[in-house]
Amino acid sequence: MTSRKPDEQLARNSRLRLVRPRSLAATARRAVADRRTRPAPRPPEGTPPRAELARQARQVLADAVRVARWAAVDRGLVTAHAPGSARERAAAALGLTQEQVRTAWDRARLAGLVEIHGDAVRPGWRLRAWDRDDSAALRGWVALLDAWSLAHPAPQDAEPAAVAEVVEAVPQVLSLLQLSAGPVPVPALLDLLQQRVAELREQRCEVPYAADAGAPPEPGAPAGAPAGAPARDERREGTRAAPDPDTLPRLLDWALEGLASVGALTLGDGQATLTPLGNWAVWVKLEQICVAAQSPAGHIEQSAEDMLRGCVRLTPGPARAEYRAWLAARPTGKAVAELLTVARGDDALLRGLAFEALRVVGAAAEAEVRAAAGEPSLRPYALLWLAEHEGADPDEAADVLTRQEATWLWVDTAAAVVDHGESDLLVRHLESAVQGTVPALLDEVRAVGHPRTVQVLVALAAAHPDPALAKAVRRAAFQVHAGGA
């Protein structure tokens, strides 16, 4: 009986399948996905199927999609209102008025259907997936809902502070509509709005000047000040003049009209009713709030590292919701810097999750990510981020990596699995290597110089059921540890 060396056996019998590389987060997160204990919540009874909700979202944004596709091909900003402008050409090409084009263009931008790079327009990932992916349609519509106050500008004579208060109070109005599961009279919504605005002012320690029907104000006191109140400047911090009693009703009408214009509710006979799409969106947001409130990590108020660790057990959708909430609570520049600091750390899983969070940031992080591409440990992640940001399909973005960068990323992903996963996942990760054979993989892994190479190879050798493969992997680990080639 003849014997073969382990490397010869591997070359003959252990060819690896060439498969599309999985992302670090998708591979490593699988190790902890089964530990989630909270069952997936079910939408309220009567909620249409997801496909029907997506159809309604596509209907609301139909003109926006048409304009976005036109602009992406023409590469023109549909902004200027002038003869020969992109807006005029789009109107002629699509059979719309210029005002309809302007509205549709604004919605396309707010819904993330287009990305603007300088003077160039590129299709966003939602636009590319619009017809085939219900999630893309629903996320685009929810993005428009979140920006309803931009899609439907406030009255020009409205006080900016009052507008901001109403925008901040609208989620409570929507919650009441959702909990009522039917029409709600506008006066009831106004009562809730007034209560919520009063709470917001109390939280800011604002002291309104209440009119006192008793003694007249002292000379020099501002109108509406109670008797005995000293004269003071209305602009002093912590004070506000009594609002016009017609302000909140008028702004409530504006808010309801804005929400109706994006398809979240319907108006009629002095009452408002959520549409099925609006009802579903409010329910989703309430669920996200509940998840965040129940999180033991306290994601929103924690550091970037603690937030990312708290998101390890979440699937990608809920994790992105946590990233958005965390990012919304802090200045963009500071948040990006904090995420990149975590990415430079020793935990490979957090490195991948940090770049997932940076994908939520979008264009505002581009300069910092480009700079990070000069750092060896961050370069593969940064190149993938930039490729997707510039319009590459996520499944094909790995093509921008060199063989060495892809191998480095393979080792980094394996390190994340070693730290957070199970042995069977590490064995399956072997199949995602770009090399055709195990010997070729081991040669390139030894040469790539990843600081976790030895630990990864030792763990892989201990986990793999093939004795010949395990022996070769252990030999490679020893050679790296000893400093050999």
Side-chain angles (χ1 to χ4, degrees):
M1 183 180 216
T2 60
S3 63
R4 296 190 182 97
K5 294 180 180 179
D7 286 353
E8 293 175 351
Q9 291 177 319
L10 289 173
R12 290 173 179 267
N13 304 322
S14 297
R15 296 193 64 82
L16 297 178
R17 290 181 294 165
L18 290 174
V19 298
R20 182 176 291 128
R22 302 182 184 94
S23 70
L24 181 144
T27 301
R29 186 186 273 125
R30 290 175 58 188
V32 293
D34 294 337
R35 301 179 191 174
R36 289 180 285 120
T37 57
R38 187 176 187 266
R42 303 186 65 178
E45 185 177 354
T47 301
R50 189 175 181 84
E52 171 59 19
L53 292 171
R55 186 195 67 79
Q56 295 177 15
R58 291 186 178 102
Q59 184 176 6
V60 171
L61 284 163
D63 284 348
V65 169
R66 293 177 64 202
V67 171
R69 286 174 173 160
W70 182 91
V73 172
D74 188 79
R75 294 294 192 272
L77 299 179
V78 186
T79 52
H81 182 73
S85 67
R87 183 186 301 180
E88 186 178 76
R89 288 184 282 114
L94 301 175
L96 302 172
T97 66
Q98 292 196 41
E99 184 60 25
Q100 288 173 325
V101 169
R102 184 197 65 78
T103 299
W105 171 251
D106 288 344
R107 291 187 173 196
R109 295 180 62 187
L110 295 173
L113 300 176
V114 292
E115 296 176 356
I116 298 175
H117 300 265
D119 292 331
V121 178
R122 296 171 183 165
W125 73 267
R126 288 172 182 155
L127 183 62
R128 295 194 300 271
W130 190 256
D131 293 326
R132 58 179 170 81
D133 187 349
D134 289 346
S135 293
L138 290 171
R139 289 173 183 170
W141 183 83
V142 170
L144 177 63
L145 173 62
D146 289 340
W148 67 268
S149 60
L150 300 178
H152 186 69
Q156 293 184 354
D157 60 342
E159 182 186 356
V163 171
E165 289 172 340
V166 170
V167 172
E168 190 173 353
V170 157
Q172 281 69 33
V173 173
L174 291 173
S175 297
L176 175 60
L177 287 165
Q178 198 269 341
L179 293 172
S180 299
V184 177
V186 172
L189 298 176
L190 179 59
D191 288 342
L192 175 62
L193 180 65
Q194 290 171 333
Q195 293 173 20
R196 181 57 183 151
V197 168
E199 291 172 357
L200 293 172
R201 292 177 178 176
E202 184 177 357
Q203 291 170 5
R204 292 194 296 266
C205 300
E206 292 183 356
V207 182
Y209 292 115
D212 189 340
E218 294 183 2
R232 63 182 81 179
D233 187 347
E234 292 181 0
R235 293 171 296 179
R236 284 183 58 185
E237 183 179 358
T239 65
R240 181 188 295 274
D244 184 338
D246 294 331
T247 295
L248 285 183
R250 190 161 65 99
L251 289 179
L252 175 61
D253 290 341
W254 160 71
L256 295 178
E257 290 168 1
L259 293 166
S261 72
V262 299
L265 53 80
T266 58
L267 297 172
D269 298 328
Q271 57 190 16
T273 309
L274 284 179
T275 62
L277 198 56
N279 188 67
W280 166 81
V282 176
W283 170 79
V284 168
K285 292 180 181 297
L286 290 174
E287 281 297 318
Q288 291 174 352
I289 292 172
C290 291
V291 169
Q294 294 174 11
S295 169
H299 301 157
I300 296 175
E301 297 180 359
Q302 295 298 320
S303 66
E305 180 174 350
D306 290 339
M307 181 272 294
L308 293 173
R309 290 191 187 281
C311 291
V312 165
R313 299 185 182 185
L314 299 178
T315 52
R320 280 191 294 271
E322 291 296 329
Y323 303 151
R324 282 193 290 268
W326 185 85
L327 290 164
R330 35 190 58 75
T332 300
K334 181 178 182 297
V336 170
E338 194 172 344
L339 288 169
L340 287 174
T341 297
V342 175
R344 295 184 180 98
D346 296 331
D347 194 321
L349 178 57
L350 296 190
R351 186 160 27 254
L353 295 181
F355 275 87
E356 279 195 0
L358 288 170
R359 285 180 174 86
V360 175
V361 178
E366 182 175 359
E368 289 80 359
V369 173
R370 287 193 183 279
E375 304 177 38
S377 64
L378 303 185
R379 181 171 177 78
Y381 298 94
L383 292 178
L384 291 175
W385 188 99
L386 291 168
E388 294 179 25
H389 178 65
E390 292 171 358
D393 189 303
D395 290 336
E396 300 174 358
D399 294 342
V400 304
L401 301 181
T402 65
R403 182 74 163 249
Q404 183 177 13
E405 290 162 352
T407 302
W408 196 99
L409 184 60
W410 185 90
V411 179
D412 209 46
T413 305
V417 177
V418 169
D419 291 340
H420 300 275
E422 307 295 338
S423 59
D424 60 336
L425 182 60
L426 185 62
V427 173
R428 293 198 298 274
H429 178 56
L430 191 63
E431 298 177 349
S432 69
V434 297
Q435 291 77 9
T437 65
V438 172
L441 171 65
L442 295 179
D443 286 343
E444 294 186 31
V445 164
R446 286 195 296 260
V448 79
H450 193 289
R452 295 290 302 279
T453 298
V454 173
Q455 294 95 320
V456 165
L457 293 178
V458 168
L460 180 59
H464 207 284
D466 185 336
L469 187 149
K471 185 174 182 180
V473 173
R474 278 194 297 271
R475 178 184 296 122
F478 175 78
Q479 290 174 340
V480 175
H481 178 66

